[in-house]
Amino acid sequence: MQKMSIREIVIISIKLVWLLLCCVSLISFFNNDKAYFDSEVVELYYLKMLALTFPMGYIADLFTSILLLIFHWLLKESSYWNYINTSILWFSMVCAGYVQWFIWIPLMYKKLRTLTTR
């Protein structure tokens, strides 16, 4: 088994902290009694997720919201629709934010380094 370098440990720690913050945002929203009745609670949740995943999270949220509106219009509304809707939006924002912060940006950084060191 190969020993992990300090750099790898720091990168994994940053990823875990970021994912934990995203999970805490969703859990704190679901645990709030006023989650679907007070617009300030919804806005705070959305702003927290937007801060963690900007700008790709916003784009993913936009497209996912459009798809969910279409499904909501086509299907009958269930009593759990708000929880399902929020979970799907959260998941799309987390996926987009993860790809942005931990895949695309490191790839762009490596590419820029190779272009500038020639």
Side-chain angles (χ1 to χ4, degrees):
M1 185 171 187
Q2 195 177 30
K3 188 176 178 182
M4 291 177 58
S5 68
I6 301 271
R7 184 177 186 274
E8 291 171 333
I9 292 171
V10 168
I11 290 172
I12 290 172
S13 299
I14 289 171
K15 289 178 183 181
L16 287 174
V17 167
W18 181 84
L19 190 59
L20 181 66
L21 286 171
C22 290
C23 290
V24 165
S25 176
L26 181 68
I27 291 168
S28 67
F29 178 72
F30 282 152
N31 283 336
N32 194 324
D33 294 336
K34 299 177 185 176
Y36 294 104
F37 305 109
D38 187 0
S39 63
E40 290 181 6
V41 175
V42 176
E43 287 176 23
L44 180 62
Y45 158 74
Y46 186 74
L47 288 173
K48 285 190 278 187
M49 286 306 299
L50 196 58
L52 289 167
T53 62
F54 187 79
M56 290 303 295
Y58 179 73
I59 295 167
D61 178 60
L62 178 69
F63 287 117
T64 307
S65 294
I66 292 169
L67 289 175
L68 287 172
L69 281 172
I70 293 169
F71 286 133
H72 182 66
W73 181 66
L74 293 174
L75 303 173
K76 302 267 189 228
E77 184 176 340
S78 72
S79 59
Y80 297 107
W81 178 253
N82 287 335
Y83 294 104
I84 294 168
N85 186 21
T86 303
S87 299
I88 292 171
L89 287 172
W90 174 85
F91 186 73
S92 71
M93 290 178 83
V94 168
C95 289
Y98 185 88
V99 167
Q100 169 190 291
W101 291 117
F102 302 115
I103 296 175
W104 287 347
I105 288 180
L107 284 175
M108 286 190 290
Y109 177 74
K110 286 179 187 174
K111 185 161 183 118
L112 282 173
R113 290 219 37 191
T114 58
L115 290 174
T116 57
T117 56
R118 286 186 180 176

